[in-house]
Amino acid sequence: MNEALTRILSNSPAEPDDENVSLIGRSMARMRLMTGRRLIGRLAIQSAAPGLELSHLDVLDAVRRAQPAGEVTVGLIAEMLRIDPSRASRVVAEMVTRNVLRREASQADARRIVVVMTAAGEALLAEIRAQKLAIISEIVSDWPEEDVDRFATLFDRFIGGYEAIFLSRDKDTPG
């Protein structure tokens, strides 16, 4: 029996080709370097919000992600970004000055101050997201539509598996 037929009949998943796994590993290393340099964020800042820093985008994104779950505090932002609370407070203060965030009294406890995104902050996030999608669109612009569809599905599946492994092995580290 040939190898392909044996796999089909045994219903076991195909073993990844070592060369393909190596290629994925090398590609991940290249992507990590580009991600570490924050290329998309830097390009988005250049075109959408000159004068902002990457830390501003990080705080804005943390507020966006945390708001649906409830009130956002400087302490929560610091925890999410794994930075010192005093650093988070300084960045939030800068963002308040720029009218991208605002501070207000908590609805649950008026003694507590929460951070809320303003309309200007939402517009800035929308512009940055548009810049990011434009960059991705440019990258795949000469790909056949089927390749883009397949890559989107496979990349999402790969990242989901990556997250699952990370969460199963590092339960004490918030993601």
Side-chain angles (χ1 to χ4, degrees):
M1 219 180 315
N2 72 30
E3 186 179 317
L5 185 55
T6 303
R7 264 198 313 269
I8 291 168
L9 293 176
S10 69
N11 215 13
S12 64
E15 288 297 316
D17 179 277
D18 286 343
E19 185 56 35
N20 285 333
V21 171
S22 293
L23 178 60
I24 292 168
R26 289 189 306 272
S27 296
M28 285 179 66
R30 290 173 35 221
M31 187 170 182
R32 182 186 54 78
L33 289 173
M34 289 186 292
T35 302
R37 293 180 187 134
R38 310 281 304 269
L39 295 180
I40 290 178
R42 289 179 193 281
L43 290 171
I45 286 172
Q46 283 176 4
S47 58
L52 284 185
E53 297 174 16
L54 291 168
S55 59
H56 294 118
L57 296 185
D58 293 340
V59 167
L60 202 54
D61 186 57
V63 172
R64 178 195 59 81
R65 288 183 292 131
Q67 271 184 323
E71 296 181 331
V72 182
T73 63
V74 170
L76 178 61
I77 293 168
E79 184 179 329
M80 290 175 71
L81 298 178
R82 298 181 182 150
I83 61 175
D84 187 78
S86 63
R87 172 72 179 135
S89 182
R90 282 191 302 275
V91 176
V92 166
E94 292 170 17
M95 298 299 281
V96 168
T97 302
R98 294 173 184 263
N99 193 36
V100 177
L101 296 175
R102 75 173 177 272
R103 290 186 171 126
E104 58 185 46
S106 164
Q107 296 298 310
D109 181 352
R111 298 170 294 177
R112 188 170 59 165
I113 300 298
V114 295
V115 178
V116 178
M117 193 172 315
T118 66
E122 290 173 8
L124 178 57
L125 271 182
E127 179 60 27
I128 288 168
R129 183 174 188 274
Q131 290 292 324
K132 175 179 161 183
L133 294 178
I135 291 166
I136 294 168
S137 293
E138 186 177 339
I139 292 167
V140 299
S141 66
D142 61 346
W143 293 18
E145 187 175 340
E146 313 82 60
D147 286 0
V148 176
D149 292 344
R150 188 77 176 135
F151 179 74
T153 300
L154 290 172
F155 191 65
D156 185 61
R157 190 165 104 200
F158 179 81
I159 295 300
Y162 196 81
E163 287 172 331
I165 287 173
F166 175 78
L167 292 172
S168 72
R169 293 183 184 175
D170 196 4
K171 296 185 184 311
D172 295 332
T173 303

